[in-house]
């Protein structure tokens, strides 16, 4: 993976998610239709990545898709209708993630470290953008200005590095050479991870929010490096097993933060494994797992009772995730 392009995609991921969070909490929150706006934004940003992924696979212009997503999020700042703003920002967010994600998957080949580096800055962007959006800072222009500059930089660097804006995606083929069975456990693992992220409640969470966010970010980054070093099966086994043990002690900040770090190490692993199932439709597989993120978010949005009631339930989710991952990763290890 080209290091400059990876750095640019990662920086842009941070800025896209920061800009979206800022927009949602600065211009949409407080309105009578805020709940609907939030639902539409998350649906467009995550659920729509699955069908959009197939289109991006076929278009074979990943840098263009990513830059177009940046432009749409910037455009959302100018729209007068809250619902239209939410939809436009969500679609732009989805397009950026797909364009960048497919490019990273294509160019990192069998490795996962670049994928971990790419996906991890988003959580930090959401955290900072949410705080910034809830503040009184008037700097509305900073988000879209940065988006347009970064989108232009993506187009320029793709053209300069590869000689054209074509991405050399594989011919679109949604078939799975070794069967679709591995996709279901991978999908369920991501649903559980999303649900856990929305619902785990630590008594110390407010005071340690920034550190907890950094643990999540660094965990995703470390997961890609760990997989490349020890293999997907071993890295996931150790990370989720240790996470389960530490979640039992998560009434205290340090074990809880380490547990979050370890639990999130499997994010690049699941994305990598899903792309291996359908190598001719990496955008579709990427979008399938972001649809799983949306499903994990829905129970909290709908106000359903939280089923995670403390350290034992957190540890149980980590162990269930490990059990679900074991079969697809074992089969992948056998093929490798």
């Amino acid at each position: 993976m080209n290091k400059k392009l990876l750095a640019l995609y990662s920086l842009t991921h941070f800025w896209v998610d920061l800009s979206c969070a800022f927009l949602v909490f600065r211009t949409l929150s407080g309105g009578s239709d805020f709940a609907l706006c939030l639902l539409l934004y998350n649906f467009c940003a995550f659920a729509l990545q699955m069908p959009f992924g197939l289109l991006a696979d076929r278009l074979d212009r990943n840098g263009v898709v990513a830059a177009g997503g940046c432009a749409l999020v910037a455009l959302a700042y100018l729209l007068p209708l809250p619902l239209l703003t939410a939809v436009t920002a969500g679609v732009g967010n989805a397009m950026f993630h797909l364009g960048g994600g497919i490019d990273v998957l294509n160019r990192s080949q069998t490795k996962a470290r670049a994928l971990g580096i790419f996906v991890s800055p988003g959580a930090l962007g959401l955290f900072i953008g949410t705080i910034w959006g809830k503040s009184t800072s008037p700097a509305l222009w900073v988000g879209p200005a940065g988006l347009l500059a970064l989108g232009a930089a993506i187009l320029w660097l793709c053209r300069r590095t590869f000689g054209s804006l074509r991405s050399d995606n594989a011919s679109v083929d949604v078939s799975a050479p070794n069967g679709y069975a591995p996709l279901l456990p991978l999908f369920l693992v991501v649903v559980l991870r999303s649900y856990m992220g929305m619902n785990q409640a630590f008594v110390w969470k407010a005071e340690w929010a920034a550190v907890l966010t950094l643990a999540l970010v660094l965990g995703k980054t470390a997961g890609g490096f760990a997989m490349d070093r020890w293999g997907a099966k071993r890295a996931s086994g150790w990370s989720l097993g240790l996470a389960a043990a530490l979640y039992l002690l998560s009434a205290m900040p340090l074990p809880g933060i380490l547990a979050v770090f370890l639990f999130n190490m499997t994010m690049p692993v699941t994305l990598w494994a899903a792309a291996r199932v359908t190598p001719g439709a990496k955008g579709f597989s990427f979008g399938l797992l972001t649809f799983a993120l949306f499903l994990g978010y829905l129970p909290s949005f709908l106000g359903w009772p939280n089923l995670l009631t403390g350290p034992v339930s957190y540890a149980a989710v980590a162990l269930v995730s490990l059990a679900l991952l074991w079969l697809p990763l074992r089969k992948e290890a056998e093929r490798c």
Side-chain angles (χ1 to χ4, degrees):
M1 178 72 195
N2 181 277
K3 292 181 180 178
K4 291 181 180 179
L5 186 59
L6 176 60
L8 180 57
Y9 273 138
S10 301
L11 174 61
T12 308
H13 187 185
F14 166 80
W15 199 255
V16 165
D17 282 6
L18 181 152
S19 300
C20 287
F22 179 85
L23 180 65
V24 166
F25 289 101
R26 173 58 60 87
T27 67
L28 301 181
S29 65
S32 59
D33 52 1
F34 177 60
L36 179 57
C37 287
L38 196 60
L39 178 63
L40 285 173
Y41 168 76
N42 281 291
F43 176 80
C44 293
F46 298 103
L48 285 186
Q49 284 192 47
M50 187 166 56
F52 283 1
L54 279 174
L55 296 175
D57 286 327
R58 187 175 298 279
L59 182 62
D60 194 26
R61 301 287 193 283
N62 300 328
V64 175
V65 173
C70 292
L72 275 182
V73 176
L75 174 63
Y77 276 74
L78 304 176
L79 299 176
L81 301 177
L83 294 178
L84 185 59
T85 296
V87 169
T88 304
V91 170
N93 187 296
M95 287 176 58
F96 167 75
H97 282 78
L98 285 168
I102 299 170
D103 235 3
V104 173
L105 282 167
N106 279 349
R107 303 190 192 284
S108 56
Q109 299 179 355
T110 62
K111 302 296 184 180
R113 67 183 65 187
L115 189 57
I117 292 170
F118 169 69
V119 298
S120 59
L124 184 60
L126 287 174
F127 178 74
I128 295 175
T130 299
I131 294 174
W132 191 16
K134 292 179 179 179
S135 72
T136 57
S137 170
L140 281 170
W141 61 270
V142 175
L147 288 166
L148 294 175
L150 289 166
I154 288 172
L155 293 175
W156 175 81
L157 188 56
C158 285
R159 185 63 179 260
R160 182 173 182 270
T161 303
F162 307 114
S164 83
L165 292 176
R166 294 188 65 87
S167 302
D168 297 323
N169 291 351
S171 298
V172 177
D173 182 2
V174 295
S175 64
N178 296 293
Y180 294 100
L183 286 177
L184 179 58
L186 294 171
F187 186 88
L188 293 175
V189 165
V190 177
V191 172
L192 283 175
R193 188 192 304 129
S194 175
Y195 184 81
M196 177 85 109
M198 293 297 300
N199 290 282
Q200 62 185 359
F202 304 115
V203 295
W204 42 266
K205 186 173 181 178
E207 293 80 6
W208 292 80
V211 178
L212 199 61
T213 301
L214 285 176
L216 190 154
V217 170
L218 294 175
K220 294 175 182 178
T221 304
F225 283 87
M227 197 206 88
D228 290 350
R229 177 66 177 84
W230 294 297
K233 182 182 172 184
R234 184 180 298 179
S236 298
W238 278 105
S239 63
L240 289 173
L242 289 172
L246 288 166
Y247 270 128
L248 293 174
L249 305 172
S250 62
M252 298 178 287
L254 183 57
I257 290 167
L258 289 173
V260 169
F261 171 87
L262 290 162
F263 185 72
N264 281 279
M265 285 178 65
T266 58
M267 183 173 185
V269 176
T270 51
L271 290 169
W272 171 86
R276 299 272 288 184
V277 175
T278 54
K282 291 185 175 71
F284 173 78
S285 61
F286 194 98
L288 180 68
L289 296 192
T290 60
F291 180 66
L293 287 174
F294 177 73
L295 291 184
Y297 151 83
L298 272 182
S300 175
F301 174 82
L302 295 173
W304 293 1
N306 183 6
L307 301 179
L308 301 180
T309 56
V312 174
S313 61
Y314 305 153
V317 169
L319 292 176
V320 170
S321 298
L322 177 56
L324 287 169
L325 274 177
W326 204 249
L327 179 60
L329 293 185
R330 180 176 64 82
K331 290 186 176 297
E332 185 61 41
E334 289 172 356
R335 287 197 293 272
C336 295

